[in-house]
Every structure is written in structure tokens, then in C-alpha cells.
Amino acid sequence: EVQLVESGGGLVQPGGSLRLSCAASGFTFSSYWMHWVRQAPGKGLVWVSRINSDGSSTSYADSVKGRFTISRDNAKNTLYLQMNSLRAEDTAVYYCARLNVDIVAPDYWGQGTLVTVSS
Amino acid sequence: QSALTQPASVSGSPGQSITISCTGTSSDVGGYNYVSWYQQHPGKAPKLMIYDVSNRPSGVSNRFSGSKSGNTASLTISGLQAEDEADYYCSSYTSSSTLEGVFGGGTKLTVL
């Protein structure tokens, strides 16, 4: 069974940092591209970042470029999102999602972790 | 990148059919057959309901169907049931972003 479990969310002050983790199991993690998607309270889904299977290629939404860094450890089956210089508008539930390249869309999602940026 | 356009809300009575539209451009919906639909219940993760415009993953009810015409994709739910009440999001591959994907703004389905 495919499982994605996010952790690392919490309350952080504006300008602070946080690192999210996503532990994957039930599939060959090193074969899949992965995404981070966020959802602000009461709002829609927004792509944040994606990484290819071996970590050699990454991409970011303009709103987080230069502040967030996506990475992965295929030996540990874990995806990361390092978030620096956090702003109030980064407050959201952050989901990790597995990209199915055959359908060019995420097919499995974690349950999400809440990040709240507030003083 | 700009989100795909969905109606904010739709509603229907049990047993009826509803359709949710998702309008994009030739750089996304109109240019590729990589449109997906997700169902999200409150406090839950999104669930893939339709991929490649009209295909259902294993385990998804055949009451859910998808189609596309030009730059607009559609999700139809027939025989509405109370458990179908949720938010629905369309997504498409896009050549306009290095993230390769764009979501719609979401549609709240209310089963009356």
C-alpha cells in the first residue's frame, strides 16, 4: 500500500524557517518524481515545488523561489521541503504527492502538515 | 501561472447528474490530454478521480466521468449521492510552467 506521511509543520514567526519531511513507503520511491502542494485555509490547491526521481532537477512556484528548497534522500525514502524567510502568506497545509509520469498528475497524496506563520 | 477556471459552486439533488467545467488555454487543457480531477472532503487529502481526461483509477465509481472539448474539460457525476458532497479540483499539464502542472480554483459540490 502506497503511503506518504508528512511531518515538521507547526507555528513559526515571520522570517523564520521550517523543514518539512515526507516519508514514503509501499512503492519504489527512487523511481518517482515528487511534488509539494499547499492549500491555504479555505483556499484551493497550489503547486509549490517538484523534484525528479534522482534529485537532479527541481522547480518552484514564483512565490517561493529563492526561499524554499526541495530535496530528497532516496536511501531514506524521504522527501524534504526546507522553507526559509517564511511569510504570513505561506500559512497552509502542505501536502506531498507522488507524480505518476504515465498520467502526468499526482496519483497519491499524504494527509498534509499545517504550517502557520504568525507572530 | 494562472489557475484553470472552475465554477465556485454547483449543487444537485440525490439521484441527479451534475457537471463541473474547467476552462484553460491551448497551453494546458486544450493542448494536452492530461487533465485530472480530484475530490477533497473537508480535512482530507485530495483523491484522484479521473486522469487523462476520461479514465478512472481502479476503485473509483463509474458514476464519475470526464470529457474535454477544446480548452474546456468537464467532470460529470451521475446518480448523485450524499457522499459526493466535496470540493472538486481539476488539474492539467501545462507547457507554461516549469512545474508542469496547474490546478483549477476548485468547485464546492452541495448535494441538496
Side-chain angles (χ1 to χ4, degrees):
Chain A
E1 178 192 7
V2 173
Q3 284 200 323
L4 298 168
V5 180
E6 301 94 337
S7 61
L11 175 63
V12 61
Q13 293 187 336
S17 298
L18 216 52
R19 188 176 85 155
L20 307 183
S21 299
C22 170
S25 61
F27 66 101
T28 305
F29 179 71
S30 59
S31 297
Y32 285 83
W33 292 34
M34 298 293 295
H35 279 272
W36 286 101
V37 177
R38 70 184 181 185
Q39 186 171 36
K43 302 296 185 180
L45 302 170
V46 176
W47 250 287
V48 173
S49 184
R50 70 103 176 115
I51 188 167
N52 69 346
S53 56
D54 66 6
S56 62
S57 173
T58 60
S59 187
Y60 301 90
D62 288 343
S63 58
V64 307
K65 202 170 295 184
R67 300 186 299 122
F68 289 13
T69 303
I70 190 172
S71 63
R72 64 191 298 159
D73 186 334
N74 285 343
K76 295 183 177 180
N77 291 339
T78 304
L79 174 73
Y80 302 101
L81 185 67
Q82 177 67 42
M83 304 186 296
N84 298 330
S85 303
L86 282 162
R87 307 166 180 168
E89 55 264 36
D90 295 318
T91 294
V93 174
Y94 285 74
Y95 295 100
C96 66
R98 186 183 85 165
L99 180 68
N100 185 322
V101 294
D102 291 331
I103 66 173
V104 197
D107 57 357
Y108 285 94
W109 299 63
Q111 286 303 303
T113 186
L114 176 62
V115 173
T116 303
V117 184
S118 175
S119 55
Chain B
Q1 70 272 23
S2 299
L4 306 175
T5 301
Q6 297 181 232
S9 64
V10 298
S11 62
S13 299
Q16 289 186 332
S17 295
I18 63 94
T19 297
I20 299 171
S21 62
C22 170
T23 301
T25 69
S26 58
S27 296
D28 39 65
V29 174
Y32 307 92
N33 288 324
Y34 292 129
V35 177
S36 301
W37 289 90
Y38 297 89
Q39 176 192 65
Q40 187 181 36
H41 287 107
K44 300 295 186 181
K47 176 186 176 184
L48 181 65
M49 304 301 285
I50 295 287
Y51 66 92
D52 290 354
V53 175
S54 59
N55 293 304
R56 281 187 309 277
S58 174
V60 172
S61 170
N62 60 9
R63 298 185 298 105
F64 291 82
S65 62
S67 63
K68 189 185 85 168
S69 177
N71 293 337
T72 299
S74 298
L75 172 70
T76 297
I77 308 173
S78 59
L80 269 179
Q81 299 179 1
E83 63 258 34
D84 298 333
E85 184 163 297
D87 293 325
Y88 291 85
Y89 294 89
C90 63
S91 172
S92 173
Y93 171 83
T94 176
S95 59
S96 300
S97 167
T98 55
L99 285 169
E100 294 104 22
V102 60
F103 286 109
T107 298
K108 169 65 178 178
L109 168 62
T110 301
V111 181
L112 302 170

